[in-house]
Structures are given as C-alpha cells and as structure tokens.
Amino acid sequence: LRYYLALTYEEMKRYDDALRELQRALALRPKSLELYLHLGHVYERLGNLSQAIAMLTQAVELDPGHAGAQFYLGLAQSENKAYAEAAASLQKAVALDDNNATYHFNLGVVYEKLGDFEASVAQMQRTIDLDPKHASALNYLGYMYAERGIRLDESIDVIQRALVLEPNNGYFIDSLGWAFFKKGWYEKALSELERAVAVVPDDPIMQDHLGDAYFHLRRLREARQAWEKSLTLKPDNPTVEQKLRDV
C-alpha cells in the first residue's frame, strides 16, 4: 500500500511525501530493487544527487544485470558531473541492452563531456541507426561537427532532419545557424540565430553565437549588445570578455 501511495505522490510531484512513503516501504522490503530505483528518482528530483547515487548504487548491487538500474545510475552520475563513473555505468547498460537508443545517446553525451569526440560520434550514429527520428541525437551530432568546423554539409543535413521533427526547438535552430556561420554564410546564419534567441532568450552560448554573426556582418553595436547579454547570463567568460574588449 505504501509503495502505491508513494507512486501516486511521485506522479503528483509531491516528492517529500513520496520519499517518506518509500522509506517506510523500504523498511518492510529492504531488498526491493524497484524501491531503490524510485528512491533514486525522488532524491534526484529533490536535488540530493549524492543520495540519489547511493540509492541507485544499491539497486545495481542488488541486480548488476538490470540495464535500467545501470542506466539511471549513469544519469545521476552524469548530472553530478562524475563523467568517468557515468560512462562506466552507461557502458554496462549498453552491454546489457545494445538496442536501446536512449542508452546509446546518453553514453554519447557523456563521452563528449569527457572530450572523447570519436567515441561520442560513434554513439550518436548508433543512436540514429536505432532510431532515425531521434531528434536530439541528430542535433547533437550536427552541433559537434559544426563546433569543430568539420563535415559541415553533413552537420547541416542532420540538424535539418532534427528540425523537421521539432521545428520550433530553439536549440536546434541555433545549431543550424552555427553550422551556417561555420560555412561562412553569415546572412543565413544571422537569420537563424535571431530566430533561435527569440525562442530561447536566456542562453549565454546562443547570445555569443548571435554576437559573432553580427560582428562578421560589421553590425558592431548589435554584436556588443549580444555579447554583453551573454556575459550577463554567464559572468566570468574570458572568451566573451575578450570579444567585448576587441569590438
């Protein structure tokens, strides 16, 4: 009964109440994998990542062959910026369920955080092979190429495929604009980047991209405004600070 009451609270986003009922249920069923998984989720929602990781580690110890437990542990470790540990957990999840696109995508994200570009690309490509309509993987792959200024035609293609699926996603629109920018198509880039910040006005990276596009079109006042907004959103960014000194 307490377990189902906890699930109801969890569904209602009453996480403190859910936590109380889950802890009471766990006292009665201390070896319940499902309870540890739900406790991990609730602690994560409450912002207590260390406890979330502890609960999910317990779940994995109860059943190391449970792909979902390995996956959720990896997600919590990634959110806690423990990327090496997250990669290890997500690798185990993938080994247990190699046809799960979500597992491959999140492993690819962690590889990118660790600076392993080739491994990240391989995971994004595997994700897209499994799910050709995985919009986030399409965008992530395209943005990684654009950021490095490589394979730009492919970058534009996969980002446009993502935008067919989510045409109003500001982050995807920004990715397309950034790929256009890297191609040297500054007018086209500006059109997309202005559209992106209209959707997501409070992202410092997107404001930085917009400033770069204005700067290359010699619209210096607007470049300064965009970079100033970027710095307001994320202070102490030496790259943007230098751009403002140089403009």
Side-chain angles (χ1 to χ4, degrees):
L1 179 62
R2 292 197 181 281
Y3 174 67
Y4 293 109
L5 183 57
L7 295 189
T8 301
Y9 284 139
E10 203 174 340
E11 189 75 22
M12 296 168 67
K13 298 183 170 53
R14 290 171 56 179
Y15 296 118
D16 287 313
D17 293 325
L19 179 61
R20 184 187 65 247
E21 296 303 329
L22 286 168
Q23 287 170 331
R24 288 173 177 172
L26 189 65
L28 300 172
R29 296 164 54 199
K31 298 291 186 183
S32 169
L33 176 75
E34 288 298 317
L35 286 174
Y36 280 112
L37 289 174
H38 282 285
L39 278 162
H41 175 256
V42 167
Y43 275 122
E44 185 267 335
R45 289 297 179 184
L46 289 169
N48 190 338
L49 287 175
S50 61
Q51 273 299 100
I53 290 168
M55 294 298 103
L56 294 165
T57 299
Q58 191 68 37
V60 163
E61 288 173 358
L62 283 170
D63 185 358
H66 192 288
Q70 298 283 3
F71 172 68
Y72 289 116
L73 175 59
L75 283 189
Q77 290 164 329
S78 178
E79 191 173 348
N80 204 35
K81 296 182 168 53
Y83 297 121
E85 293 89 340
S89 298
L90 291 167
Q91 285 163 355
K92 291 172 185 172
V94 162
L96 290 162
D97 185 1
D98 186 49
N99 292 320
N100 189 308
T102 300
Y103 294 179
H104 283 282
F105 173 73
N106 283 279
L107 180 56
V109 170
V110 168
Y111 280 145
E112 194 266 338
K113 299 289 187 186
L114 288 168
D116 193 338
F117 172 70
E118 295 300 334
S120 181
V121 166
Q123 291 300 317
M124 293 302 161
Q125 289 173 332
R126 175 68 174 144
T127 303
I128 295 162
D129 286 344
L130 290 166
D131 180 5
K133 293 186 177 181
H134 197 298
S136 293
L138 290 162
N139 176 69
Y140 210 100
L141 180 62
Y143 185 78
M144 284 198 295
Y145 288 152
E147 186 68 2
R148 288 160 181 79
I150 62 171
R151 302 176 73 166
L152 291 174
D153 291 336
E154 184 178 349
S155 169
I156 290 166
D157 176 65
V158 292
I159 294 166
Q160 286 176 330
R161 284 168 60 191
L163 280 164
V164 168
L165 297 163
E166 296 184 27
N168 299 314
N169 187 311
Y171 296 97
F172 296 1
I173 298 166
D174 172 75
S175 295
L176 183 62
W178 196 231
F180 286 162
F181 179 88
K182 289 300 185 88
K183 285 282 281 188
W185 300 343
Y186 300 127
E187 291 283 2
K188 287 182 72 173
L190 180 61
S191 175
E192 299 301 328
L193 295 170
E194 286 181 329
R195 202 159 65 90
V197 299
V199 179
V200 185
D202 58 354
D203 186 281
I205 294 172
M206 291 164 66
Q207 292 290 339
D208 184 23
H209 290 168
L210 180 62
D212 286 356
Y214 282 134
F215 181 79
H216 277 79
L217 292 167
R218 311 311 298 161
R219 293 169 61 172
L220 302 185
R221 182 179 59 82
E222 290 153 304
R224 173 176 286 279
Q225 288 174 341
W227 286 332
E228 285 173 346
K229 183 162 186 180
S230 175
L231 208 56
T232 300
L233 292 163
K234 186 183 178 185
D236 303 318
N237 185 325
T239 304
V240 177
E241 288 171 350
Q242 186 62 50
K243 289 174 182 177
L244 280 167
R245 283 193 293 270
D246 291 344
V247 69

